[in-house]
Amino acid sequence: MTKVLFVITAADRWTLADGEVHPSGYWAEEVAVPHRNFSEAGWDITIATPGGTPPTLDRLSLGISGGLPWNRRKVEHYLESIADELATPVSLDTVDQADYDVVFYPGGHGPMEDLAYDETSGALLTARLASGRPLALLCHAPAAILAATAADGTSPFAGYRMTGLSNREELLNRFARKAPWLLEDRLKEAGVDYSKGTLPLRPHIVVDRNLYTGQNPQSSDRLSERIIADVGAKA
């Protein structure tokens, strides 16, 4: 059976440049849709967070920012169906990425608060990228690569083609105008070959070697289905 390590932020906030604490966490669609797709493919999913802390749902992701009402209800119902899994994650420092066929990081603003600075996650990402086995990061989750460092001090992701939430999309959130930094800027500073779709809030994925990235919540389905197809083709 294909095994997936699902790494979710444990942060419940995003601290803005002026010190304001914006309630945050993981984005509903980015957990629900890939989890559902992987489950329907018959894959075994292990949810991990820093410290084994149950992840916090960003309530904005079930409001108007989460898309059409019917889709939000569908996402919410799915999250309710996996509530026990979400309530009992394993601690990220107890897992070995080599035990999994796929490592998948969903987003939300939470990764900007914790995974971007988490040394355990950074080491996992460095090892996973070097392994040549599938690694996927969605929306804000590419912030986690900022904690990954090669032996020479550079980013192991430098030179890789990637996407992630664009500055234009981020600044659609009024509170983001007080952001301490923006993801697109930091990815470029890390040496990533960053790209984004022509239109904001439309599905856009990038695949470079074993690295899979999705730009925004709308990319959740396309990204996870691409991974399923590629892993199935190699089976």
Side-chain angles (χ1 to χ4, degrees), residues 143-176:
I145 77 162
L146 302 178
T149 307
D152 63 359
T154 63
S155 172
F157 291 84
Y160 275 79
R161 292 184 295 108
M162 291 182 65
T163 189
L165 198 77
S166 68
N167 289 354
R168 182 179 179 188
E169 289 168 317
E170 185 69 90
L171 293 172
L172 293 174
N173 301 307
R174 293 178 62 185
F175 57 84

Side-chain angles (χ1 to χ4, degrees), residues 7 105-106 111-112 114-123 125-126 135 137 139-149 155 157 162 181 183 187:
V7 182
Y105 279 60
M112 308 278 277
D114 63 352
L115 294 175
Y117 309 97
D118 190 289
E119 293 182 0
T120 298
S121 174
L125 289 170
T126 300
L135 167 64
L137 304 111
C139 196
H140 285 96
I145 77 162
L146 302 178
T149 307
S155 172
F157 291 84
M162 291 182 65
W181 48 272
L183 180 59
L187 292 179

Side-chain angles (χ1 to χ4, degrees), residues 17 46 51 59 78 84 116 129 145 147 160 168 175 228:
T46 297
R59 301 306 304 183
Y78 187 80
D84 288 346
L129 190 67
I145 77 162
Y160 275 79
R168 182 179 179 188
F175 57 84
I228 291 168

Side-chain angles (χ1 to χ4, degrees), residues 27 59-69 72 201 218:
W27 200 256
R59 301 306 304 183
L60 287 179
S61 63
L62 291 178
I64 191 169
S65 297
L68 296 172
R72 299 199 305 267
L201 304 180
Q218 292 77 12

Side-chain angles (χ1 to χ4, degrees), residues 8 22 38 57 63 77 112 134 142 145 156-157 163-164 166 172 185 187 194 196:
I8 305 179
H22 175 72
F38 295 150
L57 170 67
H77 291 160
M112 308 278 277
I145 77 162
F157 291 84
T163 189
S166 68
L172 293 174
D185 293 340
L187 292 179
Y194 176 85
K196 57 188 173 185

